[in-house]
Amino acid sequence: MKIIIAGAYAIGTHLAKLLSRNNNDIVLMDESEERLLSLDAEVDVLTLHASPTSIKALKEAGAQKADLFIAVTPDENKNMNSCALAKALGAKKTVAKVDNFEYTAPELKEQFAKVGITSIVFPEMLAARDITNGLKMSWVRQRLDVHNGALVMLGIKLRESCEILNQPLKDISGPTDPYHIVAIKRGDDTIIPRGEDELKLYDLAYFMTTRNYIPYIRKIVGKEHYVDVKNVMIMGGGSTAVRACLTMPEYMNVKLIESNERRCEVLNELLDTDQTMVICGDGRDLSLLVEEGIKSTQAFVALTENAETNILACLTAKRMGVRKTVAMVENIDYVSMAESLDIGTIVNKKAMAASHIYQMMLDADVTNIRFLMTANADIVEFVAKQGSRVTRKKVFELGLPKGATIGGLVRDGVGQLVSGGTQIEAGDSVVVFCHNVKIEKIEKFFI
């Protein structure tokens, strides 16, 4: 596949690393030679020192034969213009990263298509939805709703109160049980478990279940004593924080702490002041946190642009009794450190945006794809096509690659778990957990 990426910034370089592993023909464009030279030697891409809005440069990059043109520079106008030019030159699909929430309106999709923009990506909205979903369940590290919630994946840190530790999975999670454990993160390792594997103290276990069994999962992992989140404190008043505040459920009360006085004035205009109180101050100031009620807060969310600040702030909040903490960590090098410090939920906008864009490349009918940084794995939702390999045999006979497991499926809108004897049918939405296996290898089973 011929892919051109415009912008060697965080999302662009992350995408280049992700896509280069799959033997794609990739060109990375940027106006800064320094950014291009800083790419890791392991990234197998061609680089082009040029502006993505230059027709000459786009032709040199091969836009006329591109299967996908991705514009992810910090300038949304440049992204949209370069997509329009690339499409006019012959690119099949184009993706533009934007910073304006208005551009994500569904009714504008057709208008953008007319000018050559196939898809819009707004990373702040992707992150905000993830944050809000996480806050709705204080006892869960990560939640992913599949097919509008027909299936639910829950990432849960296991503590001493968990009832199912140190027992073979075949004894606690059989074909008739209402959950499957699709992966276990233990230390630095990700395990795709088999029947003899056991859950251990401090594992991060990924459960696949249906919505009505969430209370049961909460009971067996010993999290019933976790209080629901009603009071939320957010540090940092950037775009992600604004989108998070606007998507919070009405029953949550939010205090947003921002150090820039002028930005506070803007926030008061953008946000519903009945639900969100904007406080001008330094979120690292302990006396301010105590004064504003940190001890009666159930969730602390750190969304500044500085990963170190966010991690330290969450550690401070935990020491002050806050059970649920969320840190935005844009530097992937810090993710493993944040995980080892038991920070809680980690949000990375560029990984979310990369997953969203990666979905467009697959030939199979893919309705959702998420990269789980903490587990170094992908969760992919495929739709089985008529006559595809996955519909010809039962699951245990399919011969899925090592590192892949099917967590569940949705048939006629109803979620159900999958066992070895399950027969997948055409039209089923099937959730596959992939670790150290190329998604293209799994894709072949569904087309």
Side-chain angles (χ1 to χ4, degrees):
M1 181 176 281
K2 173 75 174 179
I3 302 167
I4 301 172
I5 303 172
Y9 294 84
I11 296 175
T13 53
H14 184 66
L15 263 175
K17 291 176 184 178
L18 181 68
L19 300 175
S20 66
R21 298 171 188 165
N22 297 329
N23 301 317
N24 293 295
D25 178 9
I26 302 170
V27 177
L28 179 61
M29 305 177 66
D30 198 276
E31 295 178 75
S32 168
E33 193 168 13
E34 184 179 347
R35 278 194 294 272
L36 293 173
L37 290 172
S38 68
L39 282 174
D40 293 337
E42 65 188 43
V43 183
D44 185 19
V45 299
L46 293 174
T47 58
L48 179 61
H49 178 213
S51 168
T53 55
S54 162
I55 294 177
K56 180 181 177 182
L58 288 172
K59 287 182 178 179
E60 186 179 347
Q64 56 271 42
K65 295 181 180 179
D67 296 290
L68 184 61
F69 179 86
I70 305 165
V72 285
T73 78
D75 185 339
E76 69 177 3
N77 292 320
K78 185 175 291 184
N79 294 339
M80 297 173 78
N81 288 336
S82 62
C83 280
L85 291 171
K87 186 71 173 178
L89 288 171
K92 293 179 182 177
K93 292 181 180 179
T94 63
V95 184
K97 181 184 82 70
V98 300
D99 305 312
N100 190 334
F101 176 67
E102 291 181 339
Y103 294 157
T104 64
E107 60 269 21
L108 294 178
K109 185 174 182 178
E110 188 176 336
Q111 297 300 319
F112 282 130
K114 288 179 180 178
V115 297
I117 303 170
T118 310
S119 183
I120 291 288
V121 175
F122 184 43
E124 285 75 14
M125 190 69 242
L126 299 175
R129 287 174 183 162
D130 212 49
I131 292 166
T132 302
N133 278 340
L135 293 181
K136 289 176 183 176
M137 300 174 70
S138 61
W139 52 281
V140 168
R141 284 288 177 90
Q142 197 158 20
R143 170 176 173 163
L144 176 64
D145 288 322
V146 178
H147 214 80
N148 298 318
L151 284 172
V152 181
M153 191 209 71
L154 305 174
I156 303 170
K157 189 80 169 183
L158 304 181
R159 307 289 184 181
E160 290 85 350
S161 55
C162 179
E163 300 175 5
I164 53 175
L165 296 176
N166 306 314
Q167 302 173 60
L169 294 185
K170 64 181 181 180
D171 295 340
I172 61 172
S173 179
T176 59
D177 287 295
Y179 67 91
H180 285 168
I181 296 168
V182 294
I184 302 167
K185 179 68 185 301
R186 182 174 297 156
D188 294 329
D189 298 324
T190 296
I191 302 166
I192 302 298
R194 299 187 181 276
E196 298 297 333
D197 288 308
E198 299 179 358
L199 295 174
K200 300 294 183 182
L201 186 63
Y202 306 130
D203 280 352
L204 180 59
Y206 291 90
F207 291 75
M208 187 68 73
T209 188
T210 52
R211 185 180 293 172
N212 53 316
Y213 281 105
I214 290 176
Y216 176 75
I217 303 297
R218 184 173 186 172
K219 176 183 179 298
I220 63 173
V221 297
K223 303 281 187 176
E224 289 182 300
H225 61 288
Y226 278 56
V227 296
D228 293 331
V229 174
K230 291 185 179 179
N231 298 319
V232 182
M233 194 172 284
I234 298 178
M235 183 177 78
S239 298
T240 304
V242 170
R243 303 280 26 122
C245 289
L246 293 173
T247 55
M248 292 276 182
E250 291 184 0
Y251 64 83
M252 290 186 187
N253 300 309
V254 183
K255 288 186 177 180
L256 194 160
I257 303 174
E258 166 59 44
S259 58
N260 186 293
E261 190 172 341
R262 184 171 295 179
R263 179 61 180 172
C264 287
E265 293 174 2
V266 174
L267 292 170
N268 276 317
E269 294 177 3
L270 293 173
L271 301 173
D272 179 1
T273 53
D274 290 335
Q275 185 181 13
T276 304
M277 178 187 295
V278 178
I279 299 163
C280 190
D282 188 341
R284 298 168 295 182
D285 184 343
L286 295 182
S287 60
L288 175 64
L289 295 179
V290 172
E291 183 181 338
E292 295 301 335
I294 188 76
K295 294 186 183 298
S296 60
T297 295
Q298 292 84 42
F300 184 89
V301 185
L303 299 177
T304 75
E305 295 300 316
N306 188 289
E308 297 98 318
T309 298
N310 294 339
I311 292 169
L312 290 172
C314 285
L315 287 173
T316 301
K318 275 185 168 290
R319 283 199 299 268
M320 300 183 81
V322 180
R323 192 178 288 275
K324 178 75 175 181
T325 58
V326 180
M328 186 163 72
V329 181
E330 288 297 271
N331 188 334
I332 287 183
D333 295 335
Y334 285 105
V335 170
S336 59
M337 180 184 72
E339 177 65 22
S340 67
L341 291 171
D342 206 17
I343 288 298
T345 301
I346 299 165
V347 175
N348 184 288
K349 291 184 293 186
K350 66 184 178 185
M352 292 179 187
S355 295
H356 185 82
I357 294 167
Y358 189 71
Q359 179 179 326
M360 298 185 63
M361 298 174 49
L362 301 172
D363 292 328
D365 191 351
V366 180
T367 56
N368 195 11
I369 181 169
R370 280 288 304 277
F371 175 64
L372 305 177
M373 287 184 303
T374 50
N376 189 29
D378 294 288
I379 295 284
V380 190
E381 183 184 351
F382 291 100
V383 177
K385 291 186 177 179
Q386 186 73 41
S388 59
R389 285 171 61 186
V390 78
T391 63
R392 297 177 202 158
K393 298 179 180 179
K394 293 184 178 180
V395 168
F396 80 95
E397 300 172 316
L398 290 174
L400 291 173
K402 184 180 179 181
T405 184
I406 296 176
L409 62 83
V410 179
R411 182 176 295 161
D412 299 325
V414 179
Q416 63 183 68
L417 299 178
V418 169
S419 65
T422 300
Q423 178 68 56
I424 295 170
E425 299 177 3
D428 287 349
S429 292
V430 183
V431 182
V432 186
F433 194 99
C434 308
H435 171 63
N436 283 342
V437 58
K438 292 180 180 179
I439 294 177
E440 285 82 358
K441 285 188 176 181
I442 309 301
E443 179 187 22
K444 294 175 182 178
F445 285 82
F446 291 86
I447 57 178

